[in-house]
Amino acid sequence: MIWEVFRQAKPGKYHQHCGNVHAPDREMAKLFAQIQHGRRMQTNSLWVVPQEEVSEVDSDEAAFGGATDKAYRWAMTYNRVDASFAAEVEESEEEQREAAKAQEEA
Amino acid sequence: MTPLEELLFRLADDEYVIAERYTEWQIYAPTIESDLALANIAQDEFGHARLWYDVLEERGYEEKDLLWERDPEDFRHSTLCELAFEEGDWADPVVRSYLYDTAERLRLEALVDSSEPAIAGRVGKLLSEENYHREHAQSWLERLAEGNESHHRVQAALDRLFPHALSIFEPGEQEKEIVSQGLRTESLDDLREEWFEITIPYLESLGLSVPEPEEVARPDARGRDGSHTADWFDLHESFTATYHELGFDQPTRLRGEGA
């Protein structure tokens, strides 16, 4: 039986998939996962999950997005935009810069 | 040999020799996972041996005299650690590790308050690794004991190994001083009693029958006095062979080791 293993490096971080182990049952799976996936990398916690309990949707059956350009959804698209086309935006950015400067000087 | 040295040799030699045996399972264990788990345990035990040999080195011994050029008769490990495995019998390392690691925990706990700071200061590190060893051995034992053929194999391994495990608690010449100087805070007799109280009911709960400690035939070799089984002399020859073949006059050090 195959168990998928997810490792969390530090408290509060996500558990990330790191591989699997073969084991006859849950206890042995946890035991083996400790050595195989928790010994060499910094580890705070491991999740050990029976492979058949992991549900999957793949790109054959679902359209995951990304088919059209959705760059407008990303906040970073709006960095370093020339704001002169809209006076209120330019003003607002100027205010933010001054506030930041004042904070830095304080 | 001082009482402290006797105690350290018992500890270090046990760890070194059992680790040396465990490594024989590399690539032969039943699955990759169990291979890694036992290799990891062997590595831990080598590390523990290193900690104890280091204390001896701090007291003037040299590594070559501790391992590579020491007479096999001068080793003080229990005969449980040295026995060759029954070929291909996974029940053997499982039972061996259970008997050994249960004793190991008890003996480490009796060193936590050692009067020797070099011992007391090292025990915590070792104890934290021992939990895994016992958990591993017990998980396997419980599963092997459930099967039919595997149950017989576990029983056979227990019958074969138990008399040798008793030599873990065989006193050496300076046992009295080891206790009276507070190097170990419990006597070997007490440790053995505690070991019986844990191992016997547990093994019986798995449907195994445990040999009667006072009646079971004991091998002549007791390890602690330098008497050993023939298996030990073979093992000693094989692990020192490369050292002699290459004509080292000093053990090689790893880069960064001891730096």
Side-chain angles (χ1 to χ4, degrees), chain B residues 165-235:
Chain B
L166 295 174
S167 75
I168 295 175
F169 307 100
E170 190 76 16
E173 285 170 24
Q174 318 243 24
E175 173 58 19
K176 269 197 191 127
E177 288 78 7
I178 288 174
V179 177
S180 68
Q181 295 180 11
L183 296 171
R184 188 189 332 98
T185 54
E186 279 192 73
S187 72
L188 287 170
D189 286 345
D190 289 346
L191 288 175
R192 190 175 60 170
E193 274 315 303
E194 288 170 45
W195 183 76
F196 287 151
E197 282 165 22
I198 296 169
T199 53
I200 296 175
Y202 174 74
L203 292 165
E204 286 177 349
S205 78
L206 301 178
L208 298 161
S209 73
V210 183
E212 187 57 51
E214 301 307 327
E215 288 165 22
V216 70
R218 300 275 309 271
D220 293 337
R222 299 291 167 93
R224 302 306 193 185
D225 56 358
S227 63
H228 291 282
T229 66
D231 289 353
W232 163 240
F233 297 92
D234 296 341
L235 180 64

Side-chain angles (χ1 to χ4, degrees), chain B residues 77-150:
Chain B
H77 56 272
S78 151
T79 55
L80 177 72
C81 305
E82 76 197 24
L83 292 180
F85 292 111
E86 289 289 301
E87 198 176 334
D89 186 10
W90 182 243
D92 186 319
V94 167
V95 172
R96 193 180 303 213
S97 162
Y98 173 70
L99 298 174
Y100 179 77
D101 288 309
T102 306
E104 160 107 72
R105 185 196 46 167
L106 293 170
R107 124 178 122 189
L108 289 175
E109 284 171 349
L111 296 172
V112 170
D113 294 318
S114 172
S115 57
E116 170 55 54
I119 292 181
R122 282 168 161 82
V123 174
K125 244 188 205 176
L126 278 61
L127 269 172
S128 67
E129 293 185 332
E130 286 299 330
N131 283 339
Y132 186 88
H133 301 181
R134 276 196 328 284
E135 205 184 316
H136 177 261
Q138 288 182 222
S139 297
W140 270 109
L141 263 183
E142 285 157 23
R143 284 157 183 84
L144 292 178
E146 277 174 12
N148 192 5
E149 188 198 340
S150 59

Side-chain angles (χ1 to χ4, degrees), chain A residues 20-28 30-36 39-40, chain B residues 31-34 36-37 39-40 43-44 129 132 135-137 139-140 143:
Chain A
N20 53 34
V21 288
H22 292 70
D25 55 51
R26 191 177 297 273
E27 285 314 304
M28 294 298 273
K30 290 200 282 187
L31 201 65
F32 290 146
Q34 285 175 49
I35 292 309
Q36 211 157 312
R39 183 169 154 80
R40 296 186 174 214
Chain B
T31 65
I32 288 184
E33 283 77 3
S34 26
L36 285 172
N40 161 62
Q43 248 179 13
D44 286 348
E129 293 185 332
Y132 186 88
E135 205 184 316
H136 177 261
S139 297
W140 270 109
R143 284 157 183 84

